[in-house]
Amino acid sequence: MITLRDIDNLAELARLELSAEEKAGFEKDLNSILTYVGEVQNITAELGDSDQPDLTRNTMRDDIVTIETGAYTRSLVDAAPTHDKDYIKVKKILG
């Protein structure tokens, strides 16, 4: 439970000058935040075997060495909505 004295100490550490209304608002807000964090910390989840993630499977693509330079670049440029030779055309954003 956060008290007004705690708020005063925090304000002093942060070098803030708070009015009485601001201190009361911070006291209320911080207490509700800490109450919520306490509820979240008390959550326990019971997962069945099928709910467990499969941590042994690699989700990355296989590394394939190709002799052709730019093998992936060509497919990426071709997939762009507009392109010119080996460059993707984008809208100019800087003046």
Side-chain angles (χ1 to χ4, degrees):
M1 186 86 167
I2 297 287
T3 63
L4 286 177
R5 180 154 176 83
D6 295 326
I7 300 296
D8 287 333
N9 290 339
L10 288 171
E12 183 180 340
L13 287 171
R15 296 185 178 138
L16 297 174
E17 291 184 24
L18 301 175
S19 67
E21 297 86 25
E22 290 173 321
K23 290 177 186 178
F26 279 123
E27 180 184 24
K28 178 181 167 244
D29 292 343
L30 288 173
N31 279 321
S32 66
I33 290 169
L34 291 176
T35 300
Y36 179 74
V37 168
E39 291 174 11
V40 170
Q41 287 178 334
N42 291 330
I43 293 175
T44 58
E46 294 181 20
L47 300 175
D49 290 338
S50 63
D51 295 333
Q52 294 292 332
D54 182 13
L55 301 177
T56 59
R57 196 181 105 213
N58 185 359
T59 57
M60 305 292 282
R61 67 170 170 79
D62 292 331
D63 288 332
I64 301 172
V65 178
T66 60
I67 297 174
E68 180 186 351
T69 303
Y72 296 112
T73 305
R74 182 78 260 146
S75 63
L76 291 173
V77 170
D78 289 341
T82 56
H83 57 87
D84 181 22
K85 297 181 185 169
D86 289 337
Y87 299 98
I88 296 173
K89 289 185 177 183
V90 296
K91 186 172 106 176
K92 185 176 180 178
I93 57 170
L94 300 174

